[in-house]
Structures are given as C-alpha cells and as structure tokens.
Amino acid sequence: MSDLRVVHLSAADVSLVVTQRGDELPAIVHWGALLEVSDDDLRTLAAMDCRPGLSADSDVPYRPSVLPEHSRGWFGRPGLSVHRGGRAWSPRFRAAPLLVAGEPVPTGATSLGAASITAEASDEWAGIGVTLEIDLTAAGLLRTRVGVRNLGTVADDVDVVEAVPALPVPLRASEILDFSGRWAHERIPQRHPVVRGTHARVSRRGRTGLDATTVLALGVPGFAADTGETWLCHVGFSGDHEHAVERTDGFLAFRGGELLLPGEVRLKAGDEYVTPWIFGAYGDGWDAASARFHAYLREHNRAGDRPRPVTLNVWEAVYFDQDAATLIELAEQGAALGVERFVLDDGWFRGRRDDRSGLGDWEPDPVAWPDGLRPLADRVRSLGMEFGLWVEPEMINEDSDLARAHPDWILRARDTLPARYRFQQVLDLTNPDAYAHIRDRLDALITEIGVSYLKWDHNRDLVDAGHPASGAPAVHDQTIAVYRLLDELRDRHPGLEIESCASGGGRVDLGILERTDRIHPSDSHDPVDRFYILGWTGLLVPPEMMGSHVASAVSSTTGRTSTLAYRCAVAFLGHFGIEWDIRELSGDEREVLSTWIARWRRHRDLISTGRAVSGSSHLGGPSLRGVVSRTRDEAIYAVVTPATSADAMAHIRLPGLDPRRRYRLTASAPESLGPPWQVPAWLGEATRDGADHGGAPVLSGAALGVVGLDFPVFHPERAAILYVEAVS
C-alpha cells in the first residue's frame, strides 16, 4: 500500500513494529521477540488488516491504534474519552506523518534501533489535538504517553475523562499475574486466566496504594521467572491510576493510565494535559522482562552513583520516646557495627509525643531537643556516618500550630474536613503559600542540620481530597505538586537522597522512583513475609533501591520469632540496614551482625549493578533470589527453606550463570540450616566468605543452572547466602 508507513524499532532482543496507514493514528503490529525479517515481510505483515471498520466515506479495515477511536468503528474501550459540555465526545483524529527524532517517516518500511516515535494529530471539528509518544529504550523497554490539547477553535472547555493507551500483546498470552495486599502484607500474588472483557485493577487512594498491583504481567500458560513469554506492564504514576487487560474479538491489550476524578482535568483554550508514561517490558520469563525496568531506573536514578550506605533507622528502637543521650548511644553502637547512615525517625519535631499532633510543625521539639538536632547530627558525622531525618511533608495534624494558623490549607471536598486517618489530614500542596512554606522549612532543615537523607513518609490515603476553595477534586494537582517539590529540593541539594515510604510500600511506582533513591517495601520486617515482598516488588525495582533491614528477633508486625542468620540472609539482597534496638544485643549477636554487615559491604557493588534473578521453585521447595554480575563472572543467591515440606531435602538451581564457565561455590553460615548430618556434603565443604577456597566445590554453570544441587529443607524458615565466582 502506497500510504502505509512501517517503523521497526529493535533493541536488546526486543522488536516493536509500529504502522501508520494514511493519516490514521499509529498502531502496534508487533511487540515482543526480536524480528529478523525483510522490509518486504514487514510491509506485508503490516498491511494484513481484516477487522471491519469505518471511515468517513466507506467501510475499510481498522487496526486499533495505540489510542483506539470509537469513531472509526472500535467498540472496545476508547483510548481517549473527552467532551465539550457533552459534545465532541467521539473525536476522529487525522495525523501527520510519523516523526522519528523529529524527521518525518517516509512510506514503506524503516528499520531502526532504540528510538522515539511521535505522532501529531487533531480533530479540527472538535478542536482537540493529541501528541502520541512511543519509545523503545536501549534496554528494550517500551513506554508511551499522550498529550491532549484544547486547540481553542471551538467554544467551551475540554473535559478529559480518561486517556488509556493500548499496548497489544498476542492472544497466546492467556494468563494474568497481578498483585494485591494490605498494610505490612504488600505484593500478594494472584494468578488467573485472561477472560473476555476487561480485567481492571483500580486505585482510588490518591497514592499508588498498599493493595496496588505495581506491575501486571501477561504471559503464555505457565510463564515463570525463567521461562515463557512474559509482558510486564506498569503505569508510572503516584496518584489515582488503573492497570487493565482488555480482551475483545481477536484483540488483547494492556490498558492503563491515570484515573481522573469528575472534572479533574478541564482544559481551557491552549491548555494541555499529558498522561503519565505507560511502560511495558517483554522477556522470556519475568526475570528478563523486569531487567528492563531495572536498567531504566539505574539510568534515570542517581542511587547507583556511589556505594549504598548501611543504614540504621531508629524507629523500632525508640518509637516516639526520643532524647539526645539515647540517640547518641544508638549512633555510637551503630558505628561500631559498621553502620554508615543514621536515620532519626518520627517523633523529633514540635509537640510530637504520639501520632495525634505535630505534623506540619517541622522544627525540632524544644523539650526533647533543647539544643536542636545539630549536636546529634554533628556527633553522627563525627562517627563517620551520614545523618538522615524522617518527614511527612504532605500531611498535617489538626492539632498543630500550622493547622490552627491555616485551616484553609487542608484538602477537603466540602465545608467540613474529611474523616481523619491516623489522626491526620492532607496538606494542600497545590496552594502556592502552603507549598512554599513546606519547601522552605525542609530546605532550612537540610541546610541548618546538615541532612543528607530524607525518609519521606505518606501515611494516609486521600479521601474527599478537594481544593478547599472550590471543592473540586485535587488528587491530580496534588500529585504533580509533590513531584515538583521533590524535584526542587533535589535541585537545591544535589547530594540529598530521599526514600519513598508510604505506610511501607504504599507508593511504589516509576513516577516516584524517578525522583527518589529508594523505597521502603513494607513496614513488616518479618523475614518470612519480607522475602516474598522483596521478590515481587523486585519485578519493578532493582535490589539496591529496596530498603532491606534486619529487625528484632520477634517481629513487631507478626509476632513471629526468627533467627539472626535468617533475618540477615533475607535482608542481604537489597539496600541493607538495621531497624532494631541494638543496645540490647548480646555479645554473640553483635559479632554475628557486624560480620553480616562487613559481608554485605564486600558484595554491595555486585548487588547494585548485577542482574536480578529468581528461581522458579516447586511447591514445598526452597525459594531463591539472586544477583548475577553483568559479565557473569560472579553471582550471589539467597535461598530460604519453606514453612513446611514433605521432603527433608530439595533441589535448587542457580540461574543466570554462563553454562560454559566453571564456578567456585562458597556459602555464608551453612550451619544455620540445621545440624551437620542435615547439611549436604557440598554445602559443608563450601567455606565461608571465600576465606579459604581449598575445599570449596567447583562446578560448571550448566551443572549449577540446569541440574542444580541438593538443599536441606528439614527445618522451616532457614536461609543461606551462596556466592559463586568464575575460575580460570
């Protein structure tokens, strides 16, 4: 066809084929495995439309575009829902020729590497324009977003109801894996078949949500960590949003975008609304797909610019009961263990004795800290550690000086305030005065105290979150204001690091992770639960950006008791830290913990740069998380035993190694798995931490990755760290 444009982008074993017929919006013909085909094949494949459709003058085939249009005969969910006071609700766009790097794409087939495609289109009758961006990154990650403009040629504002691009996948992807959860139990997997219609996961919480799916996976039946075509999809936005799968007649696609409240985006003449980025990652197994997200974050985030410091957070050590002597003692003991960052958590600011008061009054409490926080921060730095501080800038207690002075700075949809949650309300950061006040207080704290790290919390969902003056919904504007606040603080303080914490893992998305340096995956440090929370969160987030702390033997959230070796091993493949009253440590515990800290510091570069892998364990068998270096010359694995098993011994395979190379295997604390008679010979011979390689077994990558090794599972809830290093 003379009016058909075909653009084939390829990078990192992924191909994306985008077509444009005449002046239509672009459609995705193929997104998945690398294509090695001729331009003639591409043109033929792209022209094979058979779906009935409509045009202005006759029946023509219609391939649903990335933004499917009802006006062209698409009876599924429209890509763009807009109206002008009830009119212009079914736009029909005419697009200019596709642009790649700003240059028009000629008719025929064009093959390129990683690149960005742009489509400009408009409906002059409706007075609406759109800009559609489609990127394939060098790591093979697909992303798209839409800009919607009021061209100003027609009276009335444009109300944007929703913009949900379509990322089509083959019909053979007939299974869905997504996630739910609650406080302290985030990322609980649920797996089910694709059904006709729409499967939607919606978050109306004003933040990503503790029950949010984070990613939604589509795959061929039985897809797993290391096998089966897998498509991981994600909406990179921290406010209300939706992840959905749509299955209609011969069509399957991921649909996602921001969830807009009624009247939330209303465009006056010349205004534009730009959707968040919608991401997709393809791979053979979800490990390969998630590696593309990790590469993206490592490129766009500065967390990897220097080694991740071992962190001590004092929340579970002192809670709200703070005084200088206690905190200095904790700092001194932390430094002796090898801690490199000390974080003062909630309770340091004016009037804060519990969670009922003080939020918004961001000044050191004069009773607890009569000399301010600078002496503590200076002492922490003199011990060789950085000083960090907990804040919750988006929230306000009604019992605070700020709320009494500015009750009009609290979000509300009506005259009365929303219901309290945790005795707090939401500060209206869309108000320029409120925004400037919080920005300037945080800026002053960072400068005056010498804060190098903020633990940025967000402990309530947004309910009745309206602009106080009008009652109009404010979630979208509030989210954008938070992004601007984070960006501005980081611009003012280039060395500042920020952790995203939201009742634990309640705000985990690429919108926030492009502006922060790590997340707090969960308020639960129970290692049994934490292992799986870290693993599933790791589908999106690389290990070094997930806070991973060792807490007390008895979990504060579950009451379960765990050994120190188990807690350390589970925390190992992440950003290692401590959240425990280390003053109560016995001499043996102090020695064990300092050994694990030193061990992690030796391996943190590998953890921060390597490729994450996860074994596909069988029911009742051990579970595994690992990191393999980019050159595959070393790897490290955390292996945990199940809660119960009918077997005393199971098999583990170590994925990701080069099958042609040989590796020496060592282990950390193998005796923690049980008495000597239960530890296999290979594990008993694997000397600890590589101190003496004389008896350590050496095996090929093929033997370790395909055949595997016996591993004891007699005792529940035990763990070991396995380290493999290539030998010449």
Side-chain angles (χ1 to χ4, degrees), residues 396-416:
I396 184 170
N397 286 124
E398 293 171 51
D399 183 7
S400 67
D401 291 345
L402 186 64
R404 285 184 282 271
H406 296 284
D408 56 318
W409 286 6
I410 300 176
L411 289 179
R412 68 192 79 187
R414 60 188 73 206
D415 293 339
T416 56

PDB file of all heavy atoms in Angstrom, residues 396-416:
ATOM      1  N   ILE A 396      -0.746  16.738  57.703  1.00  0.00           N
ATOM      2  CA  ILE A 396      -0.887  17.736  58.754  1.00  0.00           C
ATOM      3  C   ILE A 396      -1.831  17.179  59.814  1.00  0.00           C
ATOM      4  O   ILE A 396      -2.847  16.553  59.496  1.00  0.00           O
ATOM      5  CB  ILE A 396      -1.416  19.069  58.169  1.00  0.00           C
ATOM      6  CG1 ILE A 396      -1.473  20.168  59.229  1.00  0.00           C
ATOM      7  CG2 ILE A 396      -2.763  18.897  57.475  1.00  0.00           C
ATOM      8  CD1 ILE A 396      -1.748  21.555  58.653  1.00  0.00           C
ATOM      9  N   ASN A 397      -1.477  17.371  61.081  1.00  0.00           N
ATOM     10  CA  ASN A 397      -2.400  17.074  62.176  1.00  0.00           C
ATOM     11  C   ASN A 397      -3.264  18.300  62.444  1.00  0.00           C
ATOM     12  O   ASN A 397      -2.780  19.433  62.406  1.00  0.00           O
ATOM     13  CB  ASN A 397      -1.638  16.720  63.457  1.00  0.00           C
ATOM     14  CG  ASN A 397      -1.016  15.344  63.441  1.00  0.00           C
ATOM     15  OD1 ASN A 397       0.184  15.206  63.640  1.00  0.00           O
ATOM     16  ND2 ASN A 397      -1.824  14.313  63.224  1.00  0.00           N
ATOM     17  N   GLU A 398      -4.530  18.058  62.752  1.00  0.00           N
ATOM     18  CA  GLU A 398      -5.378  19.180  63.159  1.00  0.00           C
ATOM     19  C   GLU A 398      -4.860  19.814  64.445  1.00  0.00           C
ATOM     20  O   GLU A 398      -5.021  21.028  64.659  1.00  0.00           O
ATOM     21  CB  GLU A 398      -6.815  18.704  63.326  1.00  0.00           C
ATOM     22  CG  GLU A 398      -7.465  18.276  62.013  1.00  0.00           C
ATOM     23  CD  GLU A 398      -8.800  17.609  62.235  1.00  0.00           C
ATOM     24  OE1 GLU A 398      -9.645  18.193  62.950  1.00  0.00           O
ATOM     25  OE2 GLU A 398      -9.004  16.497  61.706  1.00  0.00           O
ATOM     26  N   ASP A 399      -4.227  18.991  65.280  1.00  0.00           N
ATOM     27  CA  ASP A 399      -3.577  19.507  66.484  1.00  0.00           C
ATOM     28  C   ASP A 399      -2.138  19.883  66.134  1.00  0.00           C
ATOM     29  O   ASP A 399      -1.186  19.154  66.418  1.00  0.00           O
ATOM     30  CB  ASP A 399      -3.610  18.458  67.598  1.00  0.00           C
ATOM     31  CG  ASP A 399      -3.011  18.975  68.915  1.00  0.00           C
ATOM     32  OD1 ASP A 399      -2.699  20.186  68.985  1.00  0.00           O
ATOM     33  OD2 ASP A 399      -2.851  18.169  69.843  1.00  0.00           O
ATOM     34  N   SER A 400      -1.988  21.019  65.487  1.00  0.00           N
ATOM     35  CA  SER A 400      -0.673  21.548  65.131  1.00  0.00           C
ATOM     36  C   SER A 400      -0.795  23.054  64.990  1.00  0.00           C
ATOM     37  O   SER A 400      -1.873  23.586  64.695  1.00  0.00           O
ATOM     38  CB  SER A 400      -0.163  20.941  63.818  1.00  0.00           C
ATOM     39  OG  SER A 400      -0.959  21.362  62.723  1.00  0.00           O
ATOM     40  N   ASP A 401       0.302  23.748  65.185  1.00  0.00           N
ATOM     41  CA  ASP A 401       0.287  25.201  65.020  1.00  0.00           C
ATOM     42  C   ASP A 401      -0.049  25.572  63.584  1.00  0.00           C
ATOM     43  O   ASP A 401      -0.737  26.568  63.336  1.00  0.00           O
ATOM     44  CB  ASP A 401       1.637  25.782  65.418  1.00  0.00           C
ATOM     45  CG  ASP A 401       1.904  25.669  66.914  1.00  0.00           C
ATOM     46  OD1 ASP A 401       0.938  25.415  67.673  1.00  0.00           O
ATOM     47  OD2 ASP A 401       3.072  25.813  67.326  1.00  0.00           O
ATOM     48  N   LEU A 402       0.438  24.778  62.623  1.00  0.00           N
ATOM     49  CA  LEU A 402       0.187  25.096  61.222  1.00  0.00           C
ATOM     50  C   LEU A 402      -1.297  24.992  60.892  1.00  0.00           C
ATOM     51  O   LEU A 402      -1.854  25.861  60.204  1.00  0.00           O
ATOM     52  CB  LEU A 402       0.993  24.156  60.319  1.00  0.00           C
ATOM     53  CG  LEU A 402       0.934  24.480  58.820  1.00  0.00           C
ATOM     54  CD1 LEU A 402       1.568  25.832  58.530  1.00  0.00           C
ATOM     55  CD2 LEU A 402       1.611  23.383  58.000  1.00  0.00           C
ATOM     56  N   ALA A 403      -1.964  23.953  61.390  1.00  0.00           N
ATOM     57  CA  ALA A 403      -3.395  23.795  61.118  1.00  0.00           C
ATOM     58  C   ALA A 403      -4.207  24.895  61.792  1.00  0.00           C
ATOM     59  O   ALA A 403      -5.203  25.385  61.234  1.00  0.00           O
ATOM     60  CB  ALA A 403      -3.872  22.422  61.582  1.00  0.00           C
ATOM     61  N   ARG A 404      -3.797  25.299  62.996  1.00  0.00           N
ATOM     62  CA  ARG A 404      -4.526  26.373  63.673  1.00  0.00           C
ATOM     63  C   ARG A 404      -4.345  27.707  62.953  1.00  0.00           C
ATOM     64  O   ARG A 404      -5.269  28.519  62.889  1.00  0.00           O
ATOM     65  CB  ARG A 404      -4.073  26.464  65.132  1.00  0.00           C
ATOM     66  CG  ARG A 404      -4.642  25.336  65.997  1.00  0.00           C
ATOM     67  CD  ARG A 404      -4.251  25.493  67.455  1.00  0.00           C
ATOM     68  NE  ARG A 404      -2.861  25.075  67.697  1.00  0.00           N
ATOM     69  CZ  ARG A 404      -2.507  23.840  68.003  1.00  0.00           C
ATOM     70  NH1 ARG A 404      -3.416  22.881  68.085  1.00  0.00           N
ATOM     71  NH2 ARG A 404      -1.235  23.547  68.227  1.00  0.00           N
ATOM     72  N   ALA A 405      -3.163  27.917  62.393  1.00  0.00           N
ATOM     73  CA  ALA A 405      -2.910  29.176  61.682  1.00  0.00           C
ATOM     74  C   ALA A 405      -3.520  29.178  60.287  1.00  0.00           C
ATOM     75  O   ALA A 405      -3.934  30.236  59.784  1.00  0.00           O
ATOM     76  CB  ALA A 405      -1.403  29.425  61.599  1.00  0.00           C
ATOM     77  N   HIS A 406      -3.581  28.006  59.644  1.00  0.00           N
ATOM     78  CA  HIS A 406      -4.036  27.941  58.247  1.00  0.00           C
ATOM     79  C   HIS A 406      -4.983  26.753  58.046  1.00  0.00           C
ATOM     80  O   HIS A 406      -4.660  25.795  57.335  1.00  0.00           O
ATOM     81  CB  HIS A 406      -2.834  27.810  57.302  1.00  0.00           C
ATOM     82  CG  HIS A 406      -1.921  28.990  57.317  1.00  0.00           C
ATOM     83  ND1 HIS A 406      -2.243  30.170  56.694  1.00  0.00           N
ATOM     84  CD2 HIS A 406      -0.697  29.160  57.898  1.00  0.00           C
ATOM     85  CE1 HIS A 406      -1.252  31.031  56.874  1.00  0.00           C
ATOM     86  NE2 HIS A 406      -0.311  30.452  57.604  1.00  0.00           N
ATOM     87  N   PRO A 407      -6.169  26.792  58.637  1.00  0.00           N
ATOM     88  CA  PRO A 407      -7.114  25.690  58.398  1.00  0.00           C
ATOM     89  C   PRO A 407      -7.518  25.576  56.930  1.00  0.00           C
ATOM     90  O   PRO A 407      -7.970  24.516  56.501  1.00  0.00           O
ATOM     91  CB  PRO A 407      -8.312  26.070  59.289  1.00  0.00           C
ATOM     92  CG  PRO A 407      -8.197  27.553  59.490  1.00  0.00           C
ATOM     93  CD  PRO A 407      -6.726  27.842  59.518  1.00  0.00           C
ATOM     94  N   ASP A 408      -7.331  26.658  56.182  1.00  0.00           N
ATOM     95  CA  ASP A 408      -7.661  26.644  54.756  1.00  0.00           C
ATOM     96  C   ASP A 408      -6.616  25.922  53.925  1.00  0.00           C
ATOM     97  O   ASP A 408      -6.764  25.820  52.704  1.00  0.00           O
ATOM     98  CB  ASP A 408      -7.819  28.082  54.247  1.00  0.00           C
ATOM     99  CG  ASP A 408      -6.586  28.931  54.514  1.00  0.00           C
ATOM    100  OD1 ASP A 408      -6.016  28.830  55.624  1.00  0.00           O
ATOM    101  OD2 ASP A 408      -6.168  29.694  53.618  1.00  0.00           O
ATOM    102  N   TRP A 409      -5.570  25.413  54.547  1.00  0.00           N
ATOM    103  CA  TRP A 409      -4.525  24.670  53.833  1.00  0.00           C
ATOM    104  C   TRP A 409      -4.763  23.153  53.892  1.00  0.00           C
ATOM    105  O   TRP A 409      -3.869  22.374  53.602  1.00  0.00           O
ATOM    106  CB  TRP A 409      -3.157  24.978  54.431  1.00  0.00           C
ATOM    107  CG  TRP A 409      -2.627  26.350  54.065  1.00  0.00           C
ATOM    108  CD1 TRP A 409      -3.278  27.332  53.386  1.00  0.00           C
ATOM    109  CD2 TRP A 409      -1.337  26.867  54.393  1.00  0.00           C
ATOM    110  NE1 TRP A 409      -2.472  28.442  53.255  1.00  0.00           N
ATOM    111  CE2 TRP A 409      -1.266  28.185  53.863  1.00  0.00           C
ATOM    112  CE3 TRP A 409      -0.226  26.365  55.071  1.00  0.00           C
ATOM    113  CZ2 TRP A 409      -0.143  28.985  54.005  1.00  0.00           C
ATOM    114  CZ3 TRP A 409       0.905  27.174  55.213  1.00  0.00           C
ATOM    115  CH2 TRP A 409       0.942  28.467  54.677  1.00  0.00           C
ATOM    116  N   ILE A 410      -5.941  22.728  54.249  1.00  0.00           N
ATOM    117  CA  ILE A 410      -6.236  21.295  54.359  1.00  0.00           C
ATOM    118  C   ILE A 410      -7.184  20.903  53.229  1.00  0.00           C
ATOM    119  O   ILE A 410      -8.230  21.537  53.031  1.00  0.00           O
ATOM    120  CB  ILE A 410      -6.863  20.965  55.724  1.00  0.00           C
ATOM    121  CG1 ILE A 410      -5.899  21.341  56.857  1.00  0.00           C
ATOM    122  CG2 ILE A 410      -7.215  19.478  55.798  1.00  0.00           C
ATOM    123  CD1 ILE A 410      -6.483  21.142  58.252  1.00  0.00           C
ATOM    124  N   LEU A 411      -6.829  19.856  52.485  1.00  0.00           N
ATOM    125  CA  LEU A 411      -7.674  19.400  51.382  1.00  0.00           C
ATOM    126  C   LEU A 411      -9.045  18.957  51.900  1.00  0.00           C
ATOM    127  O   LEU A 411      -9.138  18.272  52.922  1.00  0.00           O
ATOM    128  CB  LEU A 411      -7.014  18.237  50.649  1.00  0.00           C
ATOM    129  CG  LEU A 411      -5.782  18.551  49.790  1.00  0.00           C
ATOM    130  CD1 LEU A 411      -5.239  17.271  49.162  1.00  0.00           C
ATOM    131  CD2 LEU A 411      -6.104  19.569  48.698  1.00  0.00           C
ATOM    132  N   ARG A 412     -10.099  19.341  51.156  1.00  0.00           N
ATOM    133  CA  ARG A 412     -11.459  18.938  51.519  1.00  0.00           C
ATOM    134  C   ARG A 412     -12.361  19.117  50.306  1.00  0.00           C
ATOM    135  O   ARG A 412     -12.147  20.014  49.485  1.00  0.00           O
ATOM    136  CB  ARG A 412     -11.973  19.767  52.690  1.00  0.00           C
ATOM    137  CG  ARG A 412     -12.206  21.226  52.359  1.00  0.00           C
ATOM    138  CD  ARG A 412     -12.430  22.063  53.584  1.00  0.00           C
ATOM    139  NE  ARG A 412     -11.179  22.382  54.247  1.00  0.00           N
ATOM    140  CZ  ARG A 412     -11.098  23.004  55.427  1.00  0.00           C
ATOM    141  NH1 ARG A 412     -12.204  23.308  56.082  1.00  0.00           N
ATOM    142  NH2 ARG A 412      -9.935  23.290  55.962  1.00  0.00           N
ATOM    143  N   ALA A 413     -13.357  18.271  50.195  1.00  0.00           N
ATOM    144  CA  ALA A 413     -14.300  18.346  49.081  1.00  0.00           C
ATOM    145  C   ALA A 413     -15.565  19.109  49.452  1.00  0.00           C
ATOM    146  O   ALA A 413     -16.403  19.368  48.592  1.00  0.00           O
ATOM    147  CB  ALA A 413     -14.670  16.943  48.607  1.00  0.00           C
ATOM    148  N   ARG A 414     -15.719  19.465  50.742  1.00  0.00           N
ATOM    149  CA  ARG A 414     -16.910  20.171  51.223  1.00  0.00           C
ATOM    150  C   ARG A 414     -16.473  21.098  52.350  1.00  0.00           C
ATOM    151  O   ARG A 414     -15.280  21.213  52.629  1.00  0.00           O
ATOM    152  CB  ARG A 414     -17.969  19.179  51.690  1.00  0.00           C
ATOM    153  CG  ARG A 414     -17.489  18.283  52.830  1.00  0.00           C
ATOM    154  CD  ARG A 414     -18.484  17.176  53.152  1.00  0.00           C
ATOM    155  NE  ARG A 414     -18.445  16.164  52.096  1.00  0.00           N
ATOM    156  CZ  ARG A 414     -19.474  15.381  51.810  1.00  0.00           C
ATOM    157  NH1 ARG A 414     -20.611  15.514  52.468  1.00  0.00           N
ATOM    158  NH2 ARG A 414     -19.368  14.477  50.871  1.00  0.00           N
ATOM    159  N   ASP A 415     -17.403  21.736  53.002  1.00  0.00           N
ATOM    160  CA  ASP A 415     -17.028  22.677  54.052  1.00  0.00           C
ATOM    161  C   ASP A 415     -16.371  21.984  55.234  1.00  0.00           C
ATOM    162  O   ASP A 415     -15.472  22.532  55.867  1.00  0.00           O
ATOM    163  CB  ASP A 415     -18.266  23.456  54.523  1.00  0.00           C
ATOM    164  CG  ASP A 415     -18.823  24.380  53.449  1.00  0.00           C
ATOM    165  OD1 ASP A 415     -18.057  24.723  52.527  1.00  0.00           O
ATOM    166  OD2 ASP A 415     -20.017  24.735  53.519  1.00  0.00           O
ATOM    167  N   THR A 416     -16.852  20.792  55.569  1.00  0.00           N
ATOM    168  CA  THR A 416     -16.280  20.059  56.700  1.00  0.00           C
ATOM    169  C   THR A 416     -15.060  19.259  56.251  1.00  0.00           C
ATOM    170  O   THR A 416     -14.906  18.921  55.078  1.00  0.00           O
ATOM    171  CB  THR A 416     -17.321  19.108  57.302  1.00  0.00           C
ATOM    172  OG1 THR A 416     -17.801  18.230  56.267  1.00  0.00           O
ATOM    173  CG2 THR A 416     -18.489  19.900  57.874  1.00  0.00           C
TER     174      THR A 416
END
